Amino acid sequence: MNRKVYLLVIIGFVLMVRPLSAAPWPQPNWQPNHAAVSFSDITWAAGVGGPGGDQAGGHGAMWADVTQDGYPDLYMPFNWQPDTTYNDRFYRNNGNGTFTEEAMQRGIADPDGGSHGAAWVDLDNDGDFDLINGTTYADGGWHGTASNNIFRNNGYGYFSDVTPAALKQRTDGTRAFVALDFDRDGDQDLFGVSGSEGSIYPDERNELYRNNGRFDFAAVNWGAAYTAPAGQGAIPTDYDGDGDTDLLVANRNGAVNVLQNDWGNFTAVNAGQIGLVGESDGVSAADIDNDGDLDLLLTKDNEARLYRNWGAGSFKQVTTFHGIDGYMGGFADLDNDGDVDLVFPGHQNIYLNDGYGNFHQTAHAPINNMADPRSVAFADIDNDGDLDFIVGGKKQPNRLIRNNYWGDNHWLKLNLITSNGQIGAFGAKVFVYADSEQKTMIGMREARSNTGYLAQDDPILHIGLGQYSQVTVKVIFVDGQTIVKEVSADQTITIDGRPRW
């Protein structure tokens, strides 16, 4: 072989091989044109602005269909005004684009000096969502603290306070409060962040509770999850892909806490050694490049750093976002093209994913000029197949934003139920493929209680399908049970892991 031919062969081989540092190949449903999306502020028309005029809001926002009528309802803890006691807010979705505030009638008003984190979670595996609520201040003067609360859903969204003794014994002022089955025994355990500043106060201790069933919880007062220097948000996620749910916990004044789970035992992993650097108020996870693993976004006010997962939980920073507003970034497929897009609270530029895992400011939403925006949470509030979202603002009424998507991309929504009847199935992973051989992945989602900073997306998982009208869905539950189904697009389906006799 002469030298010229030899060089041509080598060049051809190099072009065929994808280098490690390159972005993934575009997915088959990726299209280069701008998405057919626009957004409208429907806060006041929908009735979810919150109390107190222009000086009140909620840090967090939590979606779930707790009334079991097929529409996602909204819970928002309130805590801004000093010397004022606010009830937390429950907005029942009326199914016609409006909401009715009913926290008092339903037993979850929880009047106190302020709450931050909360989550809807099926704690007793009876097929409806109960509520955990993290209390931060005992009274409106912000004097003292009080315990967190657990409210049992008695059916169709009416609740009773069933807070167990283990929770009542802690009154440290909780921020994030999340659920995960850390010991993989089939029920959801609880983790709470009991500090706001992280490494500045190393003596603060988090809250970790093991679920013993029937709303009986035991405090776990040892280990890395208990002692981690946490501050602000937390997310339960399988960052290393080994099948159990880990904890990534923000640290406003130090490195993010990476708490690796090994069948219920947490080990603190050095964040820098796996490629994660810098401080954060919120942590978000999503598969930005549809390669089947979870990438990460670490956010502090006005800056966010995006990390691509290079396998087995090692990361490389690929993008830094400057001038954003809020304590988190929220991932959601806003244009139903199969990849997740990115929204920052209070930042009008919506970042659409180009299919490679790269984000571009190609859409706008009316959420700028908010006073101290904090969180963003997604749900299809009108069941039209696209994702809408709520923005929580500390010092200003919240903003409910409707997605006016008008394109022809398909979508799918998934309601997951575990083998023992737990709705939501937090910790499960969903993979959607264009073919029955499971060779072409359209999207991947992880079911979880919370994300970012004090946010909960609707547990009904939403996946855009692009132009695919028939897909294969594979669900892997925390206990290892796997269900594969071929389904048609543009519908909500239930993947039920319970045995059929």
Side-chain angles (χ1 to χ4, degrees):
M1 181 182 300
N2 63 43
R3 181 176 298 176
K4 183 180 294 186
V5 173
Y6 181 79
L7 288 174
L8 288 173
V9 170
I10 293 297
I11 292 170
F13 178 77
V14 170
L15 290 174
M16 290 174 61
V17 176
R18 172 179 164 239
L20 181 63
S21 60
W25 300 123
Q27 297 300 307
N29 57 334
W30 174 71
Q31 297 182 14
N33 58 301
H34 293 322
V37 291
S38 66
F39 301 92
S40 302
D41 185 342
I42 61 169
T43 305
W44 302 110
V48 297
D54 62 357
Q55 281 287 300
H59 287 238
M62 297 82 196
W63 293 104
D65 178 15
V66 300
T67 58
Q68 298 175 291
D69 63 357
Y71 289 90
D73 308 298
L74 176 64
Y75 188 74
M76 299 202 75
F78 279 83
N79 64 352
W80 160 237
Q81 282 279 45
D83 300 316
T84 302
T85 297
Y86 280 131
N87 294 340
D88 294 330
R89 299 284 159 155
F90 173 73
Y91 297 101
R92 177 175 58 83
N93 191 330
N94 298 318
N96 60 2
T98 68
F99 293 76
T100 302
E101 204 291 304
E102 297 180 349
M104 186 66 72
Q105 300 94 304
R106 293 179 178 271
I108 48 176
D110 190 38
D112 52 36
S115 297
H116 277 77
W120 300 111
V121 52
D122 186 359
L123 292 171
D124 53 353
N125 296 344
D126 66 347
D128 56 27
F129 288 105
D130 311 296
L131 178 66
I132 57 175
N133 186 346
T135 302
T136 311
Y137 304 107
D139 58 56
W142 292 2
H143 304 133
T145 55
S147 71
N148 303 315
N149 301 97
I150 293 180
F151 298 94
R152 179 180 59 206
N153 191 337
N154 299 315
Y156 301 102
Y158 292 92
F159 295 84
S160 299
D161 190 334
V162 294
T163 306
L167 270 71
K168 290 180 179 179
Q169 291 169 5
R170 286 289 300 268
T171 58
D172 294 342
T174 299
R175 297 284 169 154
F177 210 178
V178 305
L180 70 161
D181 184 4
F182 65 71
D183 50 8
R184 298 173 73 173
D185 65 350
D187 50 33
Q188 293 290 317
D189 312 296
L190 303 176
F191 173 79
V193 175
S194 295
S196 62
E197 300 302 321
S199 294
I200 284 183
Y201 302 112
D203 294 332
E204 289 180 329
R205 293 294 178 259
N206 305 308
E207 299 178 61
L208 186 65
Y209 301 102
R210 189 185 305 274
N211 189 342
N212 296 322
R214 299 186 178 183
F215 296 99
D216 174 37
F217 288 81
V220 181
N221 295 330
W222 62 87
Y226 179 63
T227 61
Q232 303 298 340
I235 179 174
T237 183
D238 183 12
Y239 83 94
D240 54 3
D242 66 352
D244 53 25
T245 306
D246 312 296
L247 282 166
L248 297 180
V249 189
N251 183 351
R252 173 172 283 182
N253 292 285
V256 62
N257 297 281
V258 180
L259 303 173
Q260 188 179 67
N261 186 6
D262 183 17
W263 289 90
N265 298 309
F266 290 95
T267 302
V269 174
N270 186 299
Q273 291 181 354
I274 63 172
L276 304 175
V277 296
E279 303 162 348
S280 59
D281 291 312
V283 184
S284 304
D287 184 3
I288 66 171
D289 45 12
N290 287 345
D291 63 351
D293 56 28
L294 292 163
D295 311 290
L296 296 177
L297 183 75
L298 304 185
T299 306
K300 62 180 180 180
D301 206 10
N302 292 318
E303 180 181 289
R305 301 174 305 282
L306 182 65
Y307 297 87
R308 196 187 301 275
N309 191 333
W310 293 106
S314 62
F315 298 86
K316 181 178 180 180
Q317 184 174 342
V318 293
T319 305
T320 301
F321 302 90
H322 297 285
I324 55 92
D325 206 357
Y327 280 18
M328 65 170 288
F331 291 106
D333 187 354
L334 298 172
D335 51 4
N336 287 344
D337 65 349
D339 50 49
V340 292
D341 308 301
L342 180 57
V343 177
F344 293 104
H347 189 57
Q348 68 173 350
N349 295 317
I350 305 300
Y351 292 83
L352 296 181
N353 192 332
D354 65 2
Y356 292 83
N358 304 310
F359 294 88
H360 305 274
Q361 300 180 48
T362 52
H364 302 277
I367 53 175
N368 58 323
N369 300 320
M370 289 188 68
D372 205 355
R374 295 298 178 95
S375 62
V376 56
F378 300 89
D380 183 4
I381 64 171
D382 44 12
N383 285 344
D384 64 349
D386 56 40
L387 284 172
D388 315 290
F389 58 91
I390 184 87
V391 174
K394 177 180 178 180
K395 300 178 183 178
Q396 193 173 4
N398 315 296
R399 299 271 186 90
L400 181 61
I401 306 299
R402 182 175 59 207
N403 186 348
N404 304 312
Y405 175 70
W406 67 85
D408 60 356
N409 285 334
H410 297 292
W411 54 272
L412 187 67
K413 294 195 290 186
L414 302 172
N415 176 34
L416 304 184
I417 302 175
T418 66
S419 60
N420 58 355
Q422 180 191 113
I423 195 169
F426 297 150
K429 296 190 185 76
V430 173
F431 303 85
V432 178
Y433 300 91
D435 55 309
S436 59
E437 293 79 18
Q438 302 175 28
K439 294 181 179 179
T440 303
M441 184 180 297
I442 299 174
M444 178 265 195
R445 299 290 185 273
E446 180 184 56
R448 63 175 76 101
S449 68
N450 300 75
T451 191
Y453 169 79
L454 315 183
Q456 182 174 24
D457 299 335
D458 187 357
I460 302 292
L461 300 179
H462 171 278
I463 301 177
L465 304 180
Q467 294 298 299
Y468 295 111
S469 59
Q470 189 81 17
V471 297
T472 299
V473 176
K474 180 169 72 173
V475 180
I476 304 176
F477 293 93
V478 171
D479 63 2
Q481 181 186 23
T482 301
I483 296 177
V484 178
K485 285 189 174 183
E486 294 186 26
V487 301
S488 298
D490 304 327
Q491 62 171 326
T492 301
I493 66 169
T494 296
I495 305 292
D496 194 337
R498 290 174 293 186
R500 297 182 180 181
W501 305 106

